[in-house]
Amino acid sequence: MADHETLLRRAVEISGIEMRNRQGGPFGAVIARDGEIVAEGHNRVTTANDPTAHAEVVAIRAACAALGTFDLSGCVIYASCEPCPMCLSAIYWARLEAVYYANAREDAARIGFDDALLYTEIAKPIEGRRLPMTRLVLSEADEIFREWEAMADKVPY
C-alpha cells in the first residue's frame, strides 16, 4: 500500500514521461483506493484533439472503466498540478474523497496554463459572462425533466 507522497510522485512522474514523449502537456494524475492505484492518466489534449482530455479527466474515465462504476467514492486523486475548474467539477461529479496535488494554479499560469479567466467567469452571473448564454424555454425540455422525475427505475447520480 502506497502513501500519499508516493502516489503523488507517481502522478508527477507520469506528467514528465508523457510530456517528454510528446503526448500532451505536463500533467499527470493517479486515482487510488486504499493506497492501491486504480488508474492513471496524463494530459492528451493535443494528441486526442480533445480539450477535455486533461490528466484528471483521463484518469477518472480510466478508473470508472476499471471499477465498472461512475461513483468513485472511496478513491483519492493525485494530480501533478492543482485541478482546473473543469477537472475539479469532474472530481466532484465522480465523488472522489480527496485531492492531493503538487504544483499550484499560479505555477501553471507561469508556464502558460492560466485558468484565471475560468475562475472569474464561473463566479459571474450568467448575464455577465464573456460567453453569451441564452435560455430558450421549450416545453419539450420541461416534459423530459418531468418524465425523469417520475421514472421509478432511474439510476440517480
Side-chain angles (χ1 to χ4, degrees):
M1 183 182 336
D3 64 14
H4 297 305
E5 188 172 316
T6 300
L7 292 163
L8 184 56
R9 285 185 188 285
R10 176 62 185 152
V12 171
E13 178 183 35
I14 293 165
S15 73
I17 290 169
E18 299 303 342
M19 175 196 68
R20 290 181 204 104
N21 286 336
R22 304 290 190 249
Q23 293 301 303
F27 304 99
V30 167
I31 295 178
R33 184 169 58 189
D34 299 324
E36 299 293 328
I37 294 175
V38 172
E40 299 179 340
H42 64 277
N43 182 282
R44 297 185 33 79
V45 170
T46 57
T47 54
N49 292 319
D50 179 354
T52 69
H54 290 198
E56 297 90 336
V57 172
V58 171
I60 288 169
R61 290 173 182 163
C64 289
L67 297 175
T69 182
F70 57 83
D71 185 342
L72 298 178
S73 295
C75 294
V76 174
I77 190 165
Y78 301 86
S80 64
C81 187
E82 180 181 355
C84 75
M86 177 187 70
C87 293
L88 185 58
S89 296
I91 288 165
Y92 274 101
W93 278 113
R95 296 182 182 95
L96 289 155
E97 300 284 327
V99 178
Y100 291 84
Y101 65 94
N103 290 315
R105 70 175 86 162
E106 295 81 9
D107 301 317
R110 183 178 42 79
I111 63 165
F113 295 94
D114 192 354
D115 299 329
L117 171 70
L118 299 175
Y119 285 104
T120 301
E121 287 291 301
I122 287 170
K124 291 179 182 178
I126 289 175
E127 61 278 355
R129 292 182 183 158
R130 192 169 108 174
L131 180 66
M133 295 180 67
T134 304
R135 181 178 181 198
L136 301 177
V137 179
L138 300 175
S139 61
E140 304 95 319
D142 184 53
E143 178 58 36
I144 295 294
F145 270 23
R146 282 189 271 129
E147 187 177 333
W148 169 262
E149 188 176 35
M151 191 178 289
D153 61 345
K154 66 183 168 230
V155 178
Y157 59 95

